[in-house]
């Protein structure tokens, strides 16, 4: 499948059209940003690792009944995906307190939550992705009530599947961010990527962070951490 026109370039990915109207190519870059793109850098081969990690995780989710935009991996940096209209809401699920929740509520990182916490954030860098709730989503016609229910159900199911999977490779899934889209104007499917850029993954036995926090917080050994996640998810 050949790329034709570039239709979108984001912080970590580029999306191209193909000759097939419903299929796009998602290209993974090495660029890394944090704090609403005020911190910028590159992580060597991140695009290659995230393409492979994401592909594997999408395959696992599809097998468990979660519809995703993933069609197939094409090469080191590209996957073929279904064309969706992205719903401009980031869905975050948290199992253990870290990052934004720790800062917002003054809680210690590492505190285990009694049940998973789901948050919605409006996708808008200039507004710093503000926290919103289901009423905002409905009132602003971002998505319908039925779509919100579908997104919520899929998100909790993704959490169950991925928590179990990561646990089997000695990683705790602390939190993660998902994005959904409308395929052919009707079906809600999981889109974007699932990778150490979008998940916090801590090694169970040591607590070592194997995710983008190594870049955000200048912890060093960033490439090694992504390689380690890739090695484990590929087993
Ligand atoms: P927090 O709100 O604590 O910063 O992020 C919660 C989780 O969602 C983390 O795993 C983080 O990686 C992911 N996340 C939230 N917003 C974004 C975003 O804009 N980009 C990326 N790559 N991940 C995000």
């Amino acid at each position: 499948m050949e790329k034709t026109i570039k239709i979108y370039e984001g912080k970590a990915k580029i999306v191209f059209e193909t000759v097939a109207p419903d299929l796009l190519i998602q290209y993974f870059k090495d660029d890394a940003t944090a704090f609403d793109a005020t911190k910028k850098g590159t992580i060597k081969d991140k695009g290659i690792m995230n393409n492979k990690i994401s592909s594997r995780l999408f395959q696992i989710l599809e097998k468990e009944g979660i519809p995703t935009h993933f069609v197939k991996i094409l090469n080191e940096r590209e996957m073929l995906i279904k064309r969706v209209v992205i719903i401009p809401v980031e869905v975050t699920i948290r199992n253990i307190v870290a990052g934004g929740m720790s800062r917002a509520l003054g809680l210690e990182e590492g505190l285990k939550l009694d049940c998973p916490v789901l948050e919605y954030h409006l996708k808008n860098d200039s507004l710093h992705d503000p926290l919103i709730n289901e009423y905002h989503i409905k009132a602003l016609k971002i998505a319908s009530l039925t779509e919100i229910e579908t997104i919520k159900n899929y998100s909790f199911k993704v959490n169950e599947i991925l928590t179990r999977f990561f646990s089997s490779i000695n990683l705790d899934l602390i939190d993660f961010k998902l994005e959904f889209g409308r395929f052919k104007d009707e079906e809600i499917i999981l889109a974007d990527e699932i990778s150490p850029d979008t998940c916090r993954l801590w090694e169970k036995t040591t607590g070592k962070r194997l995710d983008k926090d190594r870049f955000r917080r200048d912890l060093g050994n960033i490439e090694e951490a992504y390689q380690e996640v890739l090695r484990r998810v590929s087993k």
Side-chain angles (χ1 to χ4, degrees), residues 11-13 33 35-36 90-94 98-103 109 119 121 123 125 129 173-179 192-193 195-201 211-213 216-217:
K11 288 169 279 181
K13 298 182 293 292
T33 61
F35 314 121
D36 305 317
E90 297 185 347
V91 181
T92 304
I93 296 229
R94 302 178 188 274
M101 185 175 192
S102 159
R103 282 193 303 276
E109 286 203 310
E119 291 171 2
H121 292 259
K123 239 175 101 71
D125 270 356
D129 295 345
L173 177 59
I174 306 302
D175 56 29
F176 58 97
K177 182 260 293 184
L178 300 176
E179 292 184 27
D192 194 49
E193 68 177 300
S195 72
D197 271 13
T198 63
C199 301
R200 284 196 174 91
L201 298 165
D211 56 56
K212 197 174 164 191
D213 273 351
R216 295 186 186 105
R217 302 178 187 193

Side-chain angles (χ1 to χ4, degrees), residues 27 36 46 52 58 92 125 131 144 180 182 185 191 224:
Y27 174 97
D36 305 317
K46 175 170 81 78
K52 291 181 182 168
F58 279 136
T92 304
D125 270 356
L131 185 67
S144 70
F180 291 87
R182 285 185 200 97
D185 243 13
E224 291 80 355

Side-chain angles (χ1 to χ4, degrees), residues 198-224:
T198 63
C199 301
R200 284 196 174 91
L201 298 165
W202 296 358
E203 188 168 52
K204 274 182 179 294
T205 39
T206 63
K208 187 175 173 192
R209 291 166 192 258
L210 297 175
D211 56 56
K212 197 174 164 191
D213 273 351
R214 302 204 76 80
F215 168 77
R216 295 186 186 105
R217 302 178 187 193
D218 297 320
L219 299 176
N221 298 317
I222 309 171
E223 289 86 359
E224 291 80 355

Side-chain angles (χ1 to χ4, degrees), residues 18-54:
T18 68
V19 287
D22 290 331
L23 295 178
L24 303 172
I25 289 176
Q26 175 161 261
Y27 174 97
F28 288 76
K29 304 194 282 188
D30 287 348
D31 296 349
T33 61
F35 314 121
D36 305 317
T38 51
K39 177 172 177 151
K40 293 192 174 79
T42 54
I43 300 173
K44 190 176 172 293
D45 294 338
K46 175 170 81 78
I48 298 174
M49 299 186 275
N50 281 356
N51 185 30
K52 291 181 182 168
I53 294 167
S54 246

Side-chain angles (χ1 to χ4, degrees), residues 85-124:
V85 174
I86 290 285
I87 295 167
V89 170
E90 297 185 347
V91 181
T92 304
I93 296 229
R94 302 178 188 274
N95 298 306
I96 291 178
V97 172
M101 185 175 192
S102 159
R103 282 193 303 276
L105 303 182
L107 297 167
E108 190 94 354
E109 286 203 310
L111 176 72
K112 175 141 182 30
L113 294 160
D114 252 14
C115 63
V117 171
L118 181 144
E119 291 171 2
Y120 302 106
H121 292 259
L122 187 68
K123 239 175 101 71
N124 187 321

Side-chain angles (χ1 to χ4, degrees), residues 55-111:
S55 294
R56 172 90 173 102
L57 297 176
F58 279 136
Q59 280 170 315
I60 290 170
L61 293 172
E62 282 276 353
K63 227 173 161 178
E64 299 270 354
I66 306 287
T68 79
H69 72 162
F70 178 76
V71 178
K72 65 175 174 178
I73 190 159
L74 293 172
N75 54 52
E76 277 200 323
R77 286 184 185 271
E78 292 173 346
M79 61 167 71
L80 189 65
I81 57 170
K82 294 178 182 165
R83 181 196 284 266
V84 296
V85 174
I86 290 285
I87 295 167
V89 170
E90 297 185 347
V91 181
T92 304
I93 296 229
R94 302 178 188 274
N95 298 306
I96 291 178
V97 172
M101 185 175 192
S102 159
R103 282 193 303 276
L105 303 182
L107 297 167
E108 190 94 354
E109 286 203 310
L111 176 72

